[in-house]
Amino acid sequence: MKVILIEDVKSLGKKGQMVNVSNGYARNMLFPKKLGVEATPKNINDLKLQKAHEDKVAKENLEAAKKFKEELETKQVTVSIKVGENGRTFGSVSTKEISEAAKAQLGYEIDKKKMQLANPIRELGTTMVPVKLHPQVTAELKVVVKEA
């Protein structure tokens, strides 16, 4: 029996996939647990429409991310840090502080987990911080660290 999976099934397949299973497995396992539906012409058509809609939404999200990348790369965020003698800094600037500064200065909600900063910033000056906006789009945010 051909079945369209509604949810991911561990040893069978991913959501939206059409698989061939035995009648008993479909009737006793997949249908009662709402893991799949029978592959009727109506359900197959619904699956095609759903995939087309998901593709359209994914394309719109990619375009929005590219537009936001262009906008973000023209901006800069300024963060202050305490500095002692000989230009030694006390502490460091983390992604959390950069995220808060971006919200305060630019009005952008940038998730600190999306910033790909290998190590916290420990020196004064300008640093380019990569921000992953989309799996295919990464922007560079200019962060200026100055003396408090």
Side-chain angles (χ1 to χ4, degrees):
M1 173 184 280
K2 288 200 178 250
V3 175
I4 298 172
L5 298 177
I6 297 173
E7 299 290 329
D8 290 355
V9 180
K10 190 171 184 172
S11 62
L12 199 56
K14 300 276 184 192
K15 176 182 176 181
Q17 213 175 10
M18 195 173 347
V19 293
N20 204 5
V21 296
S22 68
N23 291 344
Y25 185 69
R27 278 195 310 267
N28 297 322
M29 172 71 180
L30 298 178
F31 297 160
K33 292 187 178 182
K34 306 268 191 258
L35 298 175
V37 294
E38 189 175 352
T40 62
K42 180 197 177 299
N43 289 339
I44 292 171
N45 191 32
D46 288 347
L47 176 67
K48 287 179 186 174
L49 291 174
Q50 185 179 6
K51 282 188 177 181
H53 176 71
E54 289 172 358
D55 291 344
K56 181 181 174 190
V57 169
K59 187 176 179 182
E60 288 173 357
N61 288 342
L62 178 63
E63 293 300 320
K66 285 180 180 177
K67 185 177 178 187
F68 186 59
K69 173 188 174 184
E70 291 173 7
E71 190 175 322
L72 191 63
E73 288 183 341
T74 62
K75 311 282 184 178
Q76 78 176 17
V77 174
T78 306
V79 181
S80 299
I81 188 170
K82 282 188 174 184
V83 178
E85 294 178 14
N86 303 329
R88 281 188 55 117
T89 60
F90 293 116
S92 61
V93 178
S94 66
T95 56
K96 180 181 178 187
E97 294 162 326
I98 296 169
S99 177
E100 290 170 356
K103 184 176 181 183
Q105 296 171 18
L106 306 175
Y108 296 147
E109 287 270 348
I110 302 174
D111 188 9
K112 68 179 184 176
K113 294 174 187 151
K114 297 195 180 212
M115 292 183 196
Q116 299 173 323
L117 191 60
N119 296 313
I121 303 169
R122 288 192 161 86
E123 63 271 346
L124 300 177
T126 304
T127 306
M128 299 303 280
V129 178
V131 180
K132 192 160 184 119
L133 302 173
H134 186 273
Q136 300 171 354
V137 180
T138 302
E140 295 279 325
L141 177 63
K142 188 179 200 179
V143 178
V144 178
V145 180
K146 64 178 187 174
E147 188 175 335

